[in-house]
Amino acid sequence: MAGLYELLGLDPACSPEELRAAVAQRRRVLRRRVTSPDLAVRQEAELEMQRLDEAQRTGAAGVHTEPNPPVQKAADETVAKPESSSGSIARAVEQIERGQHGVAIFTARRAVSDDPDNAYAWSVLAQAASVSNDHPTALDAIERALHLDPEDARLHAQRGEVLQAAGEHDKALSAYQAAASLQADEPEYQVAVIDQMIVAGNVDAAIRAAQEAYRAQPDEGLLRNALGRALAERAELAQHELPDGQLLITTKEQAQLVESLVGRGLSVQPSDPDVYADLVRHRDYARKASRLRFSAAALKQNYKWPVGLGFIALGPMCCLWGGLKPGTDLPTKALTVLGALGGLALFLGAVLRGCFQPQYAYNAVLIEKSEPRRMGRVDTVQPPGARVSRGRAR
């Protein structure tokens, strides 16, 4: 077993204050590593934590041989809580991963009882309680962890998760913002801020935050996806939503806005296939809304133009056969053909204009006869970005 001073890289003649500070700093580093998504990093951190505990408790090799009693006494004073503390934490984490949440709470309570000054132990208790929907316990535990280590961005982010699970969205947003301010280079915390803004309904602010983060780290996939989600949400809010979940575009401005938002979102190339698929779906919604379709109501209202121009076009068409008889001079033939084609073009134009209308005009009539669950927003929108939708559009 390596000695305490060797583990910490300290001179055995260091002062008690330096020893305590080094132990505390090393523990903070190891607690962060224990939460790494990389299993190998987690296991290595847990093993080193156990070595540190053992070295503090036994005053291992390198400590007993030092002739400086005060320094040895300082090492003894910084002895960790019983070894069961780190062991209980590791077991609680394993129990959470296996879905044994009730047992994990019991194990984590033992860990904080053994070592009440261990911020990581409190954070594990908060996690176990939160996934068990024991929100009061989770909130109390994460607050205690932050009291012990207020500069740990990870703990602020975890506090945001606990508050979000408890339904306190405004406080959750503040917690995520604190995490992002403490560790600005961590995209996960910025994404948490953006997503929480969307949950709170402040989509425009989410777009602004996402665009700022994307500009700072344009190659970060998490931020591209967050920007896509925020703009897709805005595209959805621009459309009317019926009680059955259908999305309707009822004006040309709505169609243009939705297609613009989606185009921006696709331009940042989100890597999440769900985000990308939603953006493409919204783009198809907007394009479909702008397509022309036959309308019996429009024909009934505008029938005079196609009928009138149809009769006008009939004259040149009737003259077409006579104008093309053998022996007719070329200028007459050309004039006859041009007249017939011009009359036909006028007739077809009148039919298109009088009998066909964009899908959004049909939708506008449809929505007047229903009670939408939500009316679309076509107000101010933030620049470049795009986002995802969940409803069916027409």
Side-chain angles (χ1 to χ4, degrees), residues 211-259:
Q211 289 176 160
E212 183 177 344
Y214 169 72
R215 292 189 191 105
Q217 301 182 63
D219 296 328
E220 177 54 59
L222 291 176
L223 297 177
R224 296 202 309 272
N225 292 333
L227 179 55
R229 280 194 299 275
L231 285 165
E233 182 68 29
R234 185 60 185 84
E236 182 172 319
L237 291 175
Q239 303 171 66
H240 307 300
E241 184 179 5
L242 298 181
D244 63 357
Q246 287 190 357
L247 299 175
L248 293 182
I249 294 176
T250 60
T251 67
K252 180 180 180 180
E253 291 73 22
Q254 274 183 305
Q256 290 175 337
L257 175 60
V258 171
E259 189 161 6

Side-chain angles (χ1 to χ4, degrees), residues 232 258-259 261-263 265-266 270 272-288 386-389:
V258 171
E259 189 161 6
L261 288 166
V262 171
L266 292 173
D272 187 329
D274 292 333
V275 174
Y276 185 85
D278 281 338
L279 290 170
V280 171
R281 188 179 308 120
H282 275 295
R283 181 189 64 190
D284 293 343
Y285 290 170
R287 292 178 177 177
K288 179 181 177 182
R387 178 333 344 176
V388 199
S389 181

Side-chain angles (χ1 to χ4, degrees), residues 308-319:
L309 289 174
F311 279 117
I312 294 175
L314 190 60
M317 295 295 293
C318 291
C319 297

